[in-house]
Amino acid sequence: MSDVNRAGVVGGWTRVVTARPRLTLLLALLFTALTVVAGSGVGDRLSSGGFEAPGSQSSYATAALADRFPDSQPNLVLLVDTRGADPDSSAVAAQGRQLARRLAADPDVAGVSSYWDNRAPVLRAKDGGSAMITARLRGDDDAVAKEVKRIAPLYRGAHGPVLVSVGGNAEVLHEMQTTIQQDLVRAEMIALPITLVLLVMVFGSAVAALLPLGIGIIAILGTSAVLRGITGFTDVSVFAENLTTALGLGLAIDYALFIVRRFREELAAGAAPRPAVATTLRTAGRTVLFSALTVAAALSAMLVFPQYFLRSFAYAGVAVVLLAAGAALIVLPAALVLLGDRVNALDLRALLRRRGGRSGGRADAEPGARYAALARLVMRRAPAFAIGAVAALLLLGLPFLQVQFGTADDRQLPSAAESHVVQQHIRADYAGSPVGAITVLAEHADSAGLADYRRQVAALPGVVRVEGPVAAKGDAGSAYLTVIPAGASVDSGPQHLVGEIRALPTGFRASVTGQAAVLVDTKHAIAQRLPWAAGIIGLVTLLLVFLLTGSVLVPVQAVLLNALSLTAMFGAVVWVFQDGHLSGLLGFTSTGSIETTLPVLMFCVAFGLSMDYGVFLLSRIKEEYDRTGDHQGSIVFGLRRTGGLITAAAVILAVVMVGVGMSRVTNTKMLGLGIALAVLMDAMVIRTLLVPAVMRLTGRATWWAPPVLRRFHDRFGISEGGGPQLPAGAEKGAAPHSGETRDPEPASSS
């Protein structure tokens, strides 16, 4: 057990799981059972909002209006189809007034406005085929979700001479939450069987293939329990469930692949199961722990943003990463000790090789040999590969320069969704909708000042009409105005109008809200916090990669290449989802904009996953370089050992993310398909082409660090290899340690 003792924290875990592996598995089973109970019902406690910035002007005005003017901002719409009759006919008018009175009598409804009560032209369709009843449901997002779930079925459908459809922001969010939960179940049903087949193809052994799925289940169920606990203190977005499933499976597969692969290597070299587990955790285990920290750091950066939509992904992401790593480093080693050589049982590839008359050794060696040959080719033509790959990635990212940011609305839903149909009908057939209005809260204002302010607002370009002011009962100094803008709230016109209204001089306090104002404030909040998030990700990544490699240059390369790997994802997001290319094939409605928070989320997740693969490759390169001092030979060795593994892990993770990307909600589709593209580009372009090309160009300077940092790394650094390191200036080409085979180094030297 001396090797285990030298391995520090990982060695402590090794000592426990190898001493009592059955007890470890029993405790893991008990933990999983408890998480099932603790996490039950978490979906019902998640929220569908969280895109707005708390503390902003629009947030303040929304809360104040809800308190003083409950009917000022409708979030529920009853679209009343008159079935060809005139909306002003006696039968239709009587039915419309009856529906409005019934809705106003509901205790969860704060205010109702009906065409048949106030004859407002904005509530009647231009063709006279329908009219609207709007209402405000009380409470926060969670309360509104429960209320609309109860109220909508009471009004949906035929009522005498009219046909009622339900829309409005409340119904949009409710349908979105329901659709996401349904799609999540479907994604799991699709992704799990395909993932299992791919794992069997990668491992050969059906027994080994089941291990990553077990780790993933522990991580997913554990994270559900964590989120259930967090909902007792703060809001958590329903979208976080998708990330939990995708990352839980993806990272569990990554970590299990790396550990099981190294364990099988040790067994093949003649080690017994317990020493094999000890060596695996001292080497691959350290890398997994290190990788988990880098991914968690990237995801935790979302905590700096005020929107709970983004913070929710930090809660879910950090929890699932740490649980996946913990299960891979505790539960998986215990299972490997008990399985021993039986980890290779039910080797389906061996059965196929016997039938085909192929030798096992050649089949096993081919993938590594191909990646070694590719590494040599890339290093022989390093400038061409580096320039070509960078140029191609930048070209793919060019569409992102034309990005337009917006907010999530009904068009996130399938075109057949009822609330989408209602809102589309309002956009097409109504001259300015109160649902997308800009609302101005005036405080400490007199009637003369309000009248002058109203005239100034009405004179602004892009204003269809100004309604009000409406004074608060019992508060002569408070009133609000409703500004009907031309165009949808996500268009640039209404957003520009918000700025112009806010810039008007007043003798009182004026606070602007509405969907367009919320979008303006959200963009401002993200832009304000983005440098902090990028700084956290960059600094933590630089520090962790330095601790792994002891190099000053490698961490900088890692950050730059990781960021470069995301260009294709961001370019594709704009080209496909903003501009609408492939919308028919993928089944979504293009809004002409990208939801403001999505690029931030996608960057943090994709950057973390890219670092995951980067750490796997760099750890093996550094391990070999420490043993031999052979720079180019170490690059070949690292790519030969991990190239196939990283590609397999990326393909499997991409399958999981594509399963998420099959969602009917556009944001979830964008998240899944975008990250799938990012991980494939990282594995197949960055790790196999750019990393060896750049490291070849930088030569032995790759590993340089000033003396003070070298001493710091010697004391606090982490390395995968447990053997002694060569002194500085050692000769290249020294023989590798026993038990490892080496590819010949390339003909050219650095």
Side-chain angles (χ1 to χ4, degrees), residues 27 44 59 71 125 201 208 224 304 312 365 367 472 490 522 666 669 714 746:
L27 292 175
D44 296 331
S59 178
D71 59 346
M201 293 173 61
S224 295
V304 305
S312 299
V490 297
T522 299
T666 304
K669 187 187 297 290
D714 290 342

Side-chain angles (χ1 to χ4, degrees), residues 628-631 700 726 730-736 742 745:
T628 67
D630 180 356
H631 178 63
R700 292 175 66 89
L726 289 181
E731 291 296 319
K732 297 186 301 177
R742 283 281 314 281
E745 65 181 272

Side-chain angles (χ1 to χ4, degrees), residues 49 112 138 153 161 212 221 417 507 513 736:
V112 174
R138 302 181 191 273
L221 294 177
T513 187

